[in-house]
Amino acid sequence: MKHILISGYNSYIGNHFFKKFKKKYKIINYKEDINNISKFKLFTKKKKFDFFIHFASLSRMQCDENKKLCKKTNFLSIKKIINHFNTLKFKPNFIFMSSSHVYKNSTYKIREGYKKKPENFYGKLKLHSENYLSKNYKKYCILRIFNVYGKNQPENFFIPDVNKKIKLQKIIRLNKSIRDFIHVDDVVKIINFIIENNINDTINVGSGYGRLLSSVVKMISSHNKIKPLVKISSKNDKLIANISKLRSLGYKSKIVKINEKNFNI
């Protein structure tokens, strides 16, 4: 049985991964503050683990509110962990949860080699972490996660945020953006695939399909049977994953498209 250490065990994706695979793997939850590197060093020296999955991260909204803490949590802590792992005799595989926010918007489906040009602080720190990891550690896999959705999401995600605004009859400000939504169940299955096959690479984790944000709002309003208050600007951009690399690595499971039956408010 493989031993897996995870940070951010109570995060949305981390919690789903734990519940789904706690019988398949020996999962060790690191419950302390990821910014306390001294405690992390002591903890990891006492444990044996084959993989480290870094789920711990502040959200994009949290990064906008507190850039200092965001830099500390979303970049500096990762840098310290990598430096620490390099001192270990047995170095675990590092699976890093990155984001589609590292990319520049494109009219085409985005491949992993496409231009990186983050438009927000959150994306910039994800890219800094990717670069440090790839330059300073050998055993790693970077997963660029697109828009995750699923049941019981925190309010800092797009769908629950829109759902709340519809119910409170607050204005929803959108543009004509198209985004790639992937269900959390598919995300954790892909993480499992990475572990099973011991893959070291940088991989897009999306559905490969785009949806207008306005169409997702319409779907949520239909579910609630409440007409939304929407203001749509003229800005038009697109961020859709090209998942051909994931498929070429052997991932054959179907990735479901977001629809009226599975968006799970």
Side-chain angles (χ1 to χ4, degrees):
M1 179 182 281
K2 291 177 181 175
H3 288 57
I4 299 171
L5 174 65
I6 66 173
S7 67
Y9 75 100
N10 59 349
S11 66
Y12 187 62
I13 301 174
N15 185 257
H16 272 78
F17 178 82
F18 175 74
K19 288 180 178 178
K20 180 80 174 176
F21 296 108
K22 62 184 178 182
K23 292 182 180 179
K24 180 174 182 177
Y25 302 118
K26 172 64 177 176
I27 300 178
I28 307 159
N29 292 325
Y30 183 70
K31 299 181 180 181
E32 301 293 335
D33 182 359
I34 200 66
N35 291 313
N36 190 329
I37 192 64
S38 298
K39 281 190 177 182
F40 185 80
K41 286 179 179 179
L42 287 173
F43 186 88
T44 52
K45 284 178 180 178
K46 295 176 183 177
K47 305 286 183 182
K48 282 190 175 182
F49 51 100
D50 307 291
F51 287 83
F52 172 65
I53 310 178
H54 191 57
F55 291 112
S57 177
L58 295 187
S59 69
R60 183 167 60 89
M61 288 182 183
Q62 289 170 322
C63 283
D64 290 339
E65 291 169 0
N66 192 335
K67 290 188 176 182
K68 186 177 179 180
L69 181 60
C70 184
K71 184 178 181 180
K72 186 179 179 182
T73 305
N74 288 20
F75 174 59
L76 296 178
S77 67
I78 295 161
K79 186 177 177 181
K80 290 174 183 177
I81 290 168
I82 293 164
N83 293 343
H84 166 58
F85 282 171
N86 277 323
T87 69
L88 301 179
K89 185 177 180 180
F90 180 79
K91 296 173 177 58
N93 283 54
F94 193 129
I95 300 178
F96 177 59
M97 300 291 109
S98 189
S99 169
S100 61
H101 285 281
V102 302
Y103 290 120
K104 179 183 178 182
N105 291 318
S106 172
T107 54
Y108 302 97
K109 290 185 179 182
I110 294 173
R111 293 181 180 271
E112 287 79 0
Y114 183 69
K115 186 176 181 179
K116 264 62 78 184
K117 191 178 179 182
E119 293 187 353
N120 53 60
F121 192 61
Y122 172 83
K124 288 176 183 177
L125 293 180
K126 286 292 186 183
L127 186 57
H128 288 332
S129 298
E130 283 191 18
N131 291 338
Y132 193 85
L133 178 60
S134 62
K135 290 175 183 176
N136 295 281
Y137 202 69
K138 291 182 179 179
K139 298 165 68 177
Y140 70 88
C141 188
I142 294 168
L143 301 181
R144 291 180 180 147
I145 314 293
F146 282 67
N147 294 59
V148 179
Y149 70 100
K151 196 172 183 179
N152 298 321
Q153 272 190 311
E155 286 183 3
N156 57 333
F157 285 84
F158 179 75
I159 290 176
D161 179 59
V162 167
N163 185 52
K164 182 180 179 181
K165 286 176 179 174
I166 288 173
K167 288 181 176 179
L168 295 175
Q169 285 289 278
K170 289 188 175 181
I171 295 173
I172 301 164
R173 300 184 187 278
L174 299 173
N175 52 35
K176 296 176 181 178
S177 296
I178 296 173
R179 293 291 182 266
D180 185 328
F181 288 84
I182 181 166
H183 198 281
V184 66
D185 289 346
D186 286 316
V187 174
V188 298
K189 286 176 187 175
I190 292 168
I191 295 171
N192 175 59
F193 170 77
I194 299 301
I195 295 168
E196 284 183 332
N197 294 278
N198 202 25
I199 292 170
N200 292 300
D201 212 327
T202 298
I203 303 165
N204 286 337
V205 178
S207 67
Y209 298 96
R211 286 291 300 257
L212 275 165
L213 294 183
S214 57
S215 73
V216 177
V217 172
K218 186 177 179 180
M219 199 164 57
I220 299 167
S221 67
S222 295
H223 173 83
N224 287 312
K225 297 180 180 179
I226 302 171
K227 187 176 180 180
L229 303 175
V230 181
K231 287 192 175 182
I232 302 177
S233 70
S234 59
K235 185 181 177 183
N236 188 344
D237 58 44
K238 188 183 292 187
L239 205 59
I240 306 171
N242 183 315
I243 58 171
S244 58
K245 181 187 275 193
L246 178 63
R247 294 302 190 193
S248 71
L249 290 167
Y251 190 76
K252 296 179 180 178
S253 298
K254 182 180 178 181
I255 299 175
V256 298
K257 291 186 282 186
I258 187 170
N259 58 62
E260 288 79 2
K261 294 181 181 179
N262 73 359
F263 69 93
N264 302 121
I265 294 175

